[in-house]
Amino acid sequence: MPNRLIDEQSPYLLQHAHNPVDWYPWGDAAFERARLENKPVFLSVGYATCHWCHVMAHESFEDDETAAALNRNFVCIKVDREERPDIDAVYMAACHLVTGSGGWPLTVMMTPDRKPFFAGTYIPKHSTAGRLGLIDLCVRVNDLWTRSPDRVIESAQEVVSHLGGAFAFEPHAAETPERAVIDAAAAGVAQRYDVQFGGFDGAPKFPSAHRLLFLLQVFKRTEDRKLLDMVSHTLVAMRQGGIWDHVGFGFHRYATDRQWLLPHFEKMLYDQAMLAQAYLKAWVLTREPLFAQTAREILTYVLRDMTDPAGGFYTAEDADSEGEEGKFYLWSSSEFERLAVEDADGIPWPEIFRLESEGNFFDEATRRKTGTNILHMARSWSQWAKQLNVSQDTLERRWEDLRSRLFIRRAGRVPPLRDDKILADLNGLMIAALAEGAMVLETSEYLDAAGRAADFVLKNMTDERGGLRHRFRNGQVAITATVNDYAFFIMGLLGLSRASGNPHWVDAAVRLQGHMDAAFWDPEQGGYHLTDAAVHELPVRPKEVYDGAIPSANAVALHNLIGLSRLTSEDAWLSQAGRLIQAFGGSVRKQPSAYLHTLAGWELLSGNHPRRPTSN
């Protein structure tokens, strides 16, 4: 029998609609039942393309024994973090407070008045040495809740008392930063640079497009070649690595190793948008053909596989198919060679893409080879062309022939799930990338696609007041917009205006900026809250400035306000930008490398870097 999630639209919630867990969607009904039955609430937050969310679902939420323990001791709620980023932000902050780390699936236990007393991430079904399993945890929490409820409530109160601090920032009176702050942030990023493999930090290694964009921004002022070389090396390494889908294009979420070889295979719309912009900006500064080609191929993937017929963009593609992570993308050496053998001239394709007969792909848990391969390159096309004594153009053309055959063969496999909900914020980010692609690569197709997506959101994802709504799926629009929706969609509209010269997009951006200021601006401390005051329902009202997988809405808003000033010639927008900087300036100065997109906005506000061409 399906549970209550069967009536939801979220693909993630629908994945759990036939669990034996008696799930509720987030809402008053669940908390009222918890209050009436005097039970704590079990909250599980994830998203449709999350590999470890699938693991916990198969182990526990689809298991009758675990479900019985959860149903007996809790009222259980499931949340799609992409639909409710506000819920995710607050309880992820609680997880960091309690454990010092975070991630998905996010597991939280709370009182009926929504105050968390336990938080963690993936929890196995059974206890192991040093780690409590979910069934045993249910028993212990029930015992504590029954015998010592005051201790639980006191713990929850303590967590909530510290939650506000997670979203508190220090102001600074100055409206513009000292150059030293920006340069210190660039130096901090450079210290984390992986000289051998590119990118930053060790494993796992994320693309971190906002770091690359920040370094390119600083390079335009300083002309410090080391910054540009770091970005270029990283972009080449990612493109050659297994994190890039060599057959179907697009980037996977992140690599589990330093070498960019073994990815988590989900593909996120926001990664495609941010990385397309990074490759485009790097192309403008270096004229490296690989960067323009990669940007084009990212956009090809999005327009081919992630675009709704009505014009909006889908959210993500899963890592798993047929219950196995990466199965859709991997190749046995025999299958690959059967297709490559059609190349009569004997190009050593298995060597070029580093295939091994026993496989080069390791199972992440066991570290054992699976007998399958992920395509990746250690050398460039130019290096291979020189070794094989053929022209680079010929070699790349021959690869395109083989790639097409591989793509057709792969299309016959069971594909990963596609999360086809359309989100206003992520569509804004993709619109901005397409608009920049239209300008830099002089491709009208990208401008047309960006305009169609913007029209889709404006026509289908607004309310009676002209404000935004967050999610569209199956003809249904729902969920009150967060500040992310406004900031990123305005970003897209401003990019469209610059690319097209059409004042319609500026007018729409100005209207939405007015809605954003009215609903989200903090008149006391400054800055934008994540949630609209009219629908605030959580223990704290979050305000985000740190850069995560994507930049914060406050950082994007800073760029937008500068853009609005330039496009409208109205100084009021610059005054608002100054107030935004003042609201967080003290925190940014203390830890500049945590606020890179904000600092990129500061860099723009100063306007002292030399102008460079944006197209051929």
Side-chain angles (χ1 to χ4, degrees):
M1 292 291 292
N3 55 51
R4 295 168 189 83
L5 302 184
I6 197 68
D7 296 321
E8 297 298 306
Q9 282 294 326
S10 159
Y12 176 64
L13 299 186
L14 290 171
Q15 286 174 352
H16 295 268
H18 291 274
N19 291 171
V21 178
D22 187 17
W23 292 117
Y24 279 80
W26 180 276
D28 291 339
F31 292 102
E32 179 62 15
R33 179 182 166 191
R35 186 186 66 80
L36 290 173
E37 297 184 6
N38 191 29
K39 284 184 176 181
V41 171
F42 178 89
L43 171 67
S44 178
V45 182
Y47 55 103
T49 59
C50 165
H51 171 68
W52 283 102
C53 300
H54 299 332
V55 173
M56 191 166 176
H58 298 326
E59 285 183 357
S60 296
F61 303 145
E62 296 171 6
D63 175 73
D64 289 334
E65 182 185 10
T66 314
L70 288 168
N71 295 338
R72 183 167 55 249
N73 296 297
F74 297 94
V75 173
C76 300
I77 297 177
K78 220 3 145 168
V79 165
D80 182 339
R81 68 171 294 263
E82 294 168 340
E83 285 197 337
R84 292 300 304 267
D86 53 334
I87 296 171
D88 182 61
V90 168
Y91 294 107
M92 186 63 74
C95 186
H96 279 278
L97 282 171
V98 172
T99 69
S101 62
W104 298 278
L106 173 63
T107 304
V108 180
M109 297 175 186
M110 66 182 80
T111 64
D113 57 354
R114 312 184 191 207
K115 296 177 181 177
F117 59 84
F118 171 90
T121 54
Y122 162 77
I123 302 174
K125 174 184 175 180
H126 293 296
S127 298
T128 57
R131 187 169 193 178
L132 200 62
L134 188 55
I135 291 178
D136 289 339
L137 182 61
C138 288
V139 173
R140 291 199 187 185
V141 170
N142 178 67
D143 184 66
L144 189 61
W145 182 264
T146 303
R147 295 174 181 270
S148 304
D150 291 344
R151 285 180 57 192
V152 178
I153 293 171
E154 182 181 348
S155 176
Q157 293 284 15
E158 184 177 358
V159 172
V160 171
S161 70
H162 289 91
L163 265 181
F167 303 105
F169 300 91
E170 294 183 27
H172 193 282
E175 292 187 3
T176 55
E178 303 84 3
R179 289 291 189 199
V181 178
I182 297 174
D183 293 341
V189 173
Q191 286 178 352
R192 302 167 75 171
Y193 173 62
D194 185 336
V195 176
Q196 184 177 3
F197 296 110
F200 305 92
D201 302 318
K205 187 173 281 184
F206 289 80
S208 300
H210 62 279
R211 288 178 176 171
L212 304 175
L213 291 165
F214 171 73
L215 293 179
L216 292 176
Q217 186 76 40
V218 176
F219 168 75
K220 287 194 286 185
R221 169 175 57 85
T222 65
E223 299 191 348
D224 181 349
R225 186 74 194 187
K226 293 192 296 295
L227 302 181
L228 185 60
D229 289 345
M230 279 188 274
V231 174
S232 297
H233 179 206
T234 299
L235 294 176
V236 170
M238 289 195 304
R239 168 59 197 250
Q240 291 183 341
I243 195 173
W244 171 253
D245 180 357
H246 291 267
V247 172
F249 307 147
F251 279 98
H252 299 297
R253 180 69 192 92
Y254 65 91
T256 61
D257 52 31
R258 282 182 59 204
Q259 297 92 329
W260 303 108
L261 168 59
L262 175 60
H264 266 312
F265 287 89
E266 62 265 36
K267 291 182 179 178
M268 316 302 290
L269 183 66
Y270 58 77
D271 281 327
Q272 314 312 318
M274 294 289 294
L275 287 168
Q277 292 180 68
Y279 278 94
L280 288 166
K281 291 183 185 299
W283 154 248
V284 169
L285 293 171
T286 66
R287 290 304 192 234
E288 165 55 55
L290 182 66
F291 297 162
Q293 178 187 351
T294 304
R296 287 191 184 96
E297 289 175 350
I298 292 171
L299 299 179
T300 294
Y301 160 69
V302 170
L303 296 180
R304 183 192 69 218
D305 293 347
M306 298 291 284
T307 304
D308 187 86
F313 302 113
Y314 302 137
T315 297
E317 286 192 309
D318 205 344
D320 297 11
S321 55
E322 299 183 77
E324 295 181 27
E325 185 183 14
K327 185 174 183 178
F328 182 74
Y329 299 101
L330 298 170
W331 300 88
S332 68
S333 58
S334 59
E335 183 182 17
F336 181 92
E337 289 170 5
R338 281 197 300 272
L339 292 165
V341 77
E342 296 179 30
D343 191 327
D345 291 340
I347 301 295
W349 296 115
E351 183 181 355
I352 290 174
F353 285 99
R354 309 188 76 184
L355 273 68
E356 301 174 10
S357 58
E358 70 274 24
N360 62 34
F361 180 71
F362 289 82
D363 179 87
E364 185 184 5
T366 66
R367 302 307 300 169
R368 294 176 181 171
K369 290 186 177 181
T370 64
T372 55
N373 293 274
I374 183 163
L375 306 186
H376 65 292
M377 301 175 69
R379 285 183 282 172
S380 67
W381 288 117
S382 62
Q383 291 169 320
W384 275 109
K386 183 177 181 180
Q387 177 178 326
L388 298 171
N389 196 29
V390 298
S391 72
Q392 183 175 338
D393 285 346
T394 297
L395 186 60
E396 291 192 55
R397 187 169 60 253
R398 298 272 292 281
W399 161 241
E400 179 57 27
D401 290 342
L402 174 56
R403 188 201 66 79
S404 297
R405 295 197 297 273
L406 291 166
F407 183 80
I408 292 169
R409 173 65 63 89
R410 198 176 76 175
R413 300 174 180 175
V414 176
L417 175 139
R418 182 171 59 197
D419 188 335
D420 60 358
K421 63 179 181 285
I422 297 170
L423 303 178
D425 52 351
L426 302 189
N427 272 251
L429 193 56
M430 196 66 237
I431 289 165
L434 283 162
E436 186 158 359
M439 289 189 294
V440 171
L441 302 176
E442 299 180 336
T443 304
S444 60
E445 177 190 7
Y446 302 152
L447 187 62
D448 293 342
R452 288 185 70 228
D455 280 333
F456 176 88
V457 173
L458 290 171
K459 292 176 181 177
N460 297 285
M461 300 181 68
T462 54
D463 58 26
E464 63 279 0
R465 300 176 299 107
L468 290 175
R469 300 283 277 170
H470 177 55
R471 188 261 290 151
F472 180 96
R473 186 171 187 264
N474 289 338
Q476 297 183 25
V477 63
I479 307 175
T480 302
T482 69
V483 74
N484 295 340
D485 295 300
Y486 283 88
F488 283 102
F489 189 62
I490 291 168
M491 172 189 181
L493 293 174
L494 295 178
L496 263 174
S497 174
R498 287 187 288 268
S500 68
N502 188 339
H504 163 71
W505 305 120
V506 179
D507 294 341
V510 169
R511 287 195 305 273
L512 290 174
Q513 187 66 48
H515 282 283
M516 179 173 163
D517 290 341
F520 301 98
W521 180 257
D522 182 346
E524 297 179 359
Q525 303 296 325
Y528 294 97
H529 288 289
L530 178 59
T531 55
D532 189 328
V535 296
H536 174 56
E537 58 176 339
L538 299 169
V540 296
R541 192 178 176 201
K543 186 190 296 180
E544 297 181 311
V545 189
Y546 294 110
D547 294 318
I550 57 177
S552 74
N554 276 284
V556 173
L558 176 58
H559 288 252
N560 291 344
L561 292 166
I562 296 167
L564 283 167
S565 174
R566 292 179 176 178
L567 289 168
T568 65
S569 300
E570 294 184 11
D571 291 339
W573 300 118
L574 284 183
S575 298
Q576 179 78 341
R579 288 191 291 272
L580 188 56
I581 288 173
Q582 288 175 338
F584 308 111
S587 294
V588 174
R589 284 169 171 80
K590 281 187 174 181
Q591 195 181 357
S593 60
Y595 305 92
L596 296 181
H597 202 62
T598 298
L599 288 174
W602 285 9
E603 184 86 9
L604 282 176
L605 193 59
S606 65
N608 290 330
H609 57 73
R611 293 184 178 274
R612 293 176 180 268
T614 57
S615 62
N616 288 328

